[in-house]
Amino acid sequence: MDLRHLPPSHRSRTPPPRLTVRGRFEWTRANGVGPPPDVFGDLAGKRVIELGCGSGHNLAHLAAYHHAEAVGVDHDRHKIERARSFYGEHPGLAFVRADATSHLRSLPPASVDLCLSIFGAFSFLEPTEPGPLLTATARVLRPGGRFALTLRATDTTDLVLIYTRS
């Protein structure tokens, strides 16, 4: 039954079931396209933050398969609730409802090993307004830390960028 056409009172209020963490990291809209997460090196025990984590699928993969200490940040209450319902009990994984820039500013300098934005917070900025979020990201990355993001280049092409902090 297609529930999209039913009024909200006919939809289930039951939270979605817990998900099994998927065995792959998805960079783009095309499954399996992009470098393997091994490009980040050994993430065991490393602090990883995803800005605009949505449902948390990629972050859950890094926590489960690469043993990262992962935190997903999203300003959307519904996305954080969904991520928590899917993966909230998973060890090494937490989700925070917050503005990305404000959350990064609350962290100590040089305290993050990897910062991700896979169609996340950087995708929703005005083209002339990335400065505060970029500055906050650079401030929390340790020397040698990575900043990885995926952006839509066109309607059919995605752009994957990985930067290393000097």
Side-chain angles (χ1 to χ4, degrees):
M1 173 189 279
D2 185 356
L3 300 179
R4 290 177 292 178
H5 304 292
L6 294 176
S9 62
H10 287 78
R11 296 183 189 152
S12 172
R13 301 225 186 266
T14 305
R18 297 241 182 252
L19 294 180
T20 301
V21 177
R22 58 186 182 188
R24 66 184 190 277
F25 186 90
E26 294 295 349
W27 286 96
T28 69
R29 292 172 283 175
N31 290 339
V33 174
D38 296 344
V39 71
F40 302 129
D42 182 10
L43 291 178
K46 303 290 185 180
R47 188 167 191 191
V48 176
I49 294 185
E50 184 172 13
L51 305 174
C53 65
S55 296
H57 304 305
N58 281 329
L59 205 57
H61 173 85
L62 294 179
Y65 290 93
H66 300 274
H67 311 290
E69 295 297 321
V71 175
V73 178
D74 206 300
H75 74 282
D76 186 317
R77 176 177 58 89
H78 299 291
K79 290 179 181 175
I80 289 296
E81 287 173 0
R82 177 159 290 219
R84 286 176 179 156
S85 71
F86 287 159
Y87 305 112
E89 302 292 321
H90 198 282
L93 183 59
F95 296 99
V96 176
R97 180 177 176 227
D99 169 75
T101 303
S102 298
H103 182 74
L104 292 176
R105 286 178 178 159
S106 75
L107 299 175
S111 61
V112 174
D113 298 290
L114 173 62
C115 190
L116 300 170
S117 180
I118 311 297
F119 302 115
F122 281 90
S123 297
F124 298 101
L125 294 173
E126 293 295 323
T128 58
E129 296 299 323
L133 186 52
L134 280 171
T135 300
T137 301
R139 187 185 74 79
V140 299
L141 283 175
R142 299 180 203 277
R146 300 276 175 94
F147 171 44
L149 68 156
T150 301
L151 303 166
R152 287 185 181 201
T154 69
D155 286 343
T156 59
T157 307
D158 300 325
L159 178 64
V160 175
L161 302 166
I162 303 172
Y163 298 97
T164 303
R165 188 174 195 302
S166 57

